[in-house]
Amino acid sequence: MTAGPDPGAAPQSPLAFGHTGETLHPTLVEGEVRVIGHRWSPRVHEIKTFLARSRVRYRWFDVERDQVAAGTAEYIGAGEQRYPIVILPDGSVVADPDVRELARRLGLDTDPDATFYDLIVVGGGPAGLSASIYAASEGLRTVVLEQEVPGGQIGYSAIVENYPGFPEGLSGSDLANRTVQQAERFGVEVTALCRAVGLRQQGEHRVVILDDQIELVSRAVLLSMGVSFRWLDVPGCNSLVGAGVYYGAAIAEASACRGQDIYILGGGNSAGQAALLLAQFARRVVILALEDSIEETMSQYLVDRLRQLPNVEIRTNATVSCVNGQNRLEEITIQNVKTGSTEQVRCDGLFVFIGATPRTEWLEHVVRRDEKGFILSGADVNCDLSQWPEWPLEREPYRLETSMPGVFVAGDVRKGSVKRLTCAVGEGAMAVEFIHRYGKAHPDRQQREAAQVGG
């Protein structure tokens, strides 16, 4: 993957579009993608976010402000209904591409190379990638299935400063990219936009079903899907997602927020990191937090930096109760959660960081989960014997093993996990030890036959 966009860089000149002979075409920087579209288009937002998280260098041109880009789009012949237009590094043009199609055109892996593996890792966040590195380095043929972009939610972080070994900090996408490269160096297959929709036990094997109905078989499976952003359930919000309302997309949208009034809903570290980034571009950034003080939920180093910025305001005991706008976000209603009083304010962008939910709906009646959807493992599996399915073996579940033997869980999706980056990495590495233990205690037929011959 190539380097991603630099949110702090100055806007590039639209004169990169020009004439050569009689043909109007974009003059491309080597390895760079051009995206032409409208500022408030959800599809443009989707493409920009995908490219930013994938660390694919791109340059975005707003057709409403850039006449040269608009002229190029008109020359290409794509009507407004065909935006966004994506111009690839080889000069080829794709109008309103499907993200998976775009990934393939960029040479990203979206499909597994085989159907049988020693270990299938479902989820390419820190836990899954860490597990894949240890598994592959110990000789297990391993594939990572990531339904979005490898790296998980850490890829949304503008900067990670408290990860051991990087005293100067680095962006979340950079950390994710380094981890992917390390996994691939050991032979791990890391896929993007590859979604698991089913899991079943088939004798001594475990079968993972993908959204295109392809079935992958393995001796063991690690569930490390992480969590998804919790959506803001208030009037007017859903229709404006990608058109002023954003979930964890500060990096992709930062440069488009120049001179604007931006609001961030949430008081955790992700919200603080987003505020630091957006404050470099926006005229004003307002953090809306439910708590009496953001010190209750945000690391002190972030709080100290935010309080030093003149264009950042922190409002506590506040939430958003309504979102309004025609085709784009225009205003929000702020509600005081203690008094109930409300205030309507102009808003150019609302970035939502209000928690997360596990991605486990597809595992209903497959492995045991708690009432919130987090996966039970180890000693928790036998806590409630009324749940389905029952633990089928005489031995107790290994630590990190789910209610289906040979299927393990690590990271934020596990019930009781510590929601910290280094903890997810540690759990992923630890899961491989139990996967090895499972393999020794439950050898497959070939292993049993080999042992009999050897004896």
Side-chain angles (χ1 to χ4, degrees):
M1 298 182 184
T2 55
D6 178 5
Q12 299 293 330
S13 168
L15 297 179
F17 291 89
H19 290 273
T20 299
E22 297 179 351
T23 303
L24 181 67
H25 75 98
T27 302
L28 293 169
V29 175
E30 183 178 358
E32 186 176 71
V33 173
R34 300 296 173 92
V35 181
I36 306 175
H38 296 278
R39 163 75 173 89
W40 305 108
S41 164
R43 288 287 294 122
V44 170
H45 167 69
E46 181 183 11
I47 295 296
K48 287 165 58 181
T49 301
F50 169 74
L51 294 173
R53 293 188 63 202
S54 301
R55 291 189 59 78
V56 174
R57 291 185 301 185
Y58 74 91
R59 194 175 301 175
W60 168 60
F61 292 83
D62 187 349
V63 293
E64 296 177 359
R65 297 184 178 183
D66 191 327
Q67 295 302 313
V68 181
T72 299
E74 183 177 351
Y75 180 84
I76 290 172
E80 183 173 341
Q81 70 277 9
R82 297 288 290 158
Y83 286 121
I85 295 170
V86 179
I87 306 174
L88 301 173
D90 62 3
S92 59
V93 178
V94 188
D96 193 20
D98 173 78
V99 172
R100 194 161 188 171
E101 174 194 358
L102 180 59
R104 287 170 176 162
R105 295 286 294 268
L106 291 169
L108 304 180
D109 291 330
T110 58
D111 299 296
D113 295 335
T115 56
F116 186 86
Y117 295 88
D118 296 316
L119 174 62
I120 297 174
V121 179
V122 184
L129 289 173
S130 171
S132 75
I133 290 170
Y134 281 89
S137 67
E138 295 170 9
L140 299 184
R141 184 172 188 184
T142 304
V143 63
V144 174
L145 311 175
E146 169 53 48
Q147 70 176 32
E148 295 181 357
V149 175
Q153 286 202 8
I154 194 63
Y156 287 106
S157 296
I159 186 168
V160 179
E161 297 183 87
N162 57 357
Y163 190 76
F166 296 93
E168 301 300 323
L170 72 171
S171 71
S173 61
D174 189 14
L175 178 59
N177 186 55
R178 290 171 184 238
T179 311
V180 169
Q181 289 179 349
Q182 188 174 12
E184 292 177 337
R185 189 168 68 85
F186 283 108
V188 178
E189 293 179 34
V190 183
T191 65
L193 305 172
C194 189
R195 185 164 65 95
V197 297
L199 172 65
R200 73 173 186 270
Q201 184 171 329
Q202 185 172 293
E204 59 194 18
H205 295 135
R206 305 296 174 263
V207 180
V208 176
I209 302 98
L210 306 183
D211 56 358
D212 56 6
Q213 298 309 304
I214 289 177
E215 296 188 352
L216 304 182
V217 181
S218 72
R219 288 279 292 132
V221 171
L222 176 65
L223 302 174
S224 55
M225 297 85 65
V227 290
S228 300
F229 290 106
R230 180 176 290 122
W231 282 49
L232 178 62
D233 186 16
V234 300
C237 187
N238 289 349
S239 63
L240 294 175
V241 174
V245 177
Y246 307 108
Y247 291 86
I251 294 176
E253 295 298 331
S255 62
C257 296
R258 292 183 184 277
Q260 297 181 343
D261 291 331
I262 302 300
Y263 286 77
I264 295 175
L265 181 60
N269 282 356
S270 295
Q273 291 166 351
L276 288 175
L277 173 63
L278 293 168
Q280 299 177 44
F281 301 88
R283 182 181 74 88
R284 178 168 168 257
V285 175
V286 181
I287 298 175
L288 305 174
L290 286 172
E291 298 75 22
D292 293 327
S293 170
I294 61 170
E295 279 85 353
E296 297 178 22
T297 53
M298 190 180 297
S299 294
Q300 192 61 47
Y301 81 96
L302 290 172
V303 175
D304 293 341
R305 292 184 188 178
L306 290 171
R307 294 197 185 282
Q308 293 175 3
L309 296 177
N311 63 334
V312 173
E313 176 185 343
I314 300 170
R315 297 181 61 172
T316 56
N317 302 130
T319 189
V320 173
S321 60
C322 187
V323 173
N324 294 306
Q326 293 293 326
N327 301 319
R328 55 151 293 188
L329 176 64
E330 296 175 1
E331 66 178 21
I332 61 174
T333 300
I334 301 174
Q335 182 177 23
N336 186 296
V337 295
K338 287 194 171 181
T339 67
S341 62
T342 61
E343 174 190 3
Q344 285 187 328
V345 297
R346 175 179 171 272
C347 178
D348 298 302
L350 175 64
F351 292 80
V352 182
F353 299 90
I354 55 173
T357 56
R359 302 172 173 177
T360 60
E361 298 85 357
W362 61 285
L363 292 170
E364 185 176 5
H365 300 309
V366 177
V367 297
R368 293 188 189 177
R369 305 175 300 157
D370 69 6
E371 65 281 359
K372 295 181 180 179
F374 291 95
I375 298 173
L376 304 184
S377 63
D380 288 336
V381 167
N382 283 328
C383 286
D384 184 356
L385 297 180
S386 67
Q387 287 199 55
W388 187 96
E390 294 183 355
W391 177 250
L393 302 180
E394 292 184 3
R395 68 166 175 84
E396 294 296 315
Y398 296 132
R399 189 177 180 185
L400 303 184
E401 190 172 21
T402 72
S403 58
M404 181 183 289
V407 176
F408 298 81
V409 61
D412 289 357
V413 74
R414 183 181 67 83
K415 178 185 177 180
S417 65
V418 178
K419 306 300 187 285
R420 291 287 185 178
L421 172 60
T422 49
C423 295
V425 170
E427 281 196 10
M430 183 170 60
V432 176
E433 167 61 26
F434 295 109
I435 290 168
H436 280 306
R437 189 179 302 181
Y438 171 81
K440 293 176 182 178
H442 304 273
D444 62 19
R445 185 177 60 185
Q446 290 182 338
Q447 289 174 315
R448 291 193 298 269
E449 290 175 352
Q452 291 172 359
V453 171

